Amino acid sequence: MKRKIVRIDEEKCTGCGLCVSPCVEGAIEIVNGKAKVLREELCDGAGVCLNVCPTGALTIEEREAPAFDPIAAEENLAAKRAEGTAPRCLRCGADETRAVLLFARYHGESTWVCTRCLPVLIHG
């Protein structure tokens, strides 16, 4: 099937890992010093990871790829929760089972913040 999916230009990728955190589905991982979409069926093509790449190595392209599999994405996220590596609020530590999490840039870092803590970050 033809669909939109993240493409990573290995020539531009420095392996900084900033794109890993926003990919809540877990499609992107660092392998041998480079970001890679390891499981295309986990990439929803939303592109949340694009804006955090300092070298512009990530783009969205339309090409033949397996269909996005929301069940596999949820299973992958459940495994990350079990490992303790699922997204958590940078301020209170809540995970998505306890709060709504939003992706954010804070002090130059890609991170997650819950809706309860967001006003504190905005207003101090």
Side-chain angles (χ1 to χ4, degrees), residues 18-34:
L18 292 175
C19 57
V20 175
S21 178
C23 183
V24 73
E25 292 84 8
I28 300 175
E29 292 185 26
I30 302 298
V31 178
N32 297 325
K34 299 285 183 176

Side-chain angles (χ1 to χ4, degrees), residues 107-123:
H107 289 203
E109 298 290 322
S110 300
T111 190
W112 295 90
V113 63
C114 76
T115 53
R116 290 182 298 231
C117 292
L118 184 60
V120 175
L121 295 178
I122 293 170
H123 303 293

Side-chain angles (χ1 to χ4, degrees), residues 6-9 12-31 33-38 43 47-59 80 103 105 108-112:
V6 170
R7 178 185 175 281
I8 302 171
D9 182 338
K12 292 182 179 179
C13 179
T14 63
C16 70
L18 292 175
C19 57
V20 175
S21 178
C23 183
V24 73
E25 292 84 8
I28 300 175
E29 292 185 26
I30 302 298
V31 178
K34 299 285 183 176
K36 301 220 184 278
V37 176
L38 290 185
C43 178
V48 176
C49 56
L50 299 182
N51 292 329
V52 302
C53 181
T55 64
L58 284 72
T59 56
K80 287 182 178 287
F103 179 71
R105 294 281 295 165
E109 298 290 322
S110 300
T111 190
W112 295 90

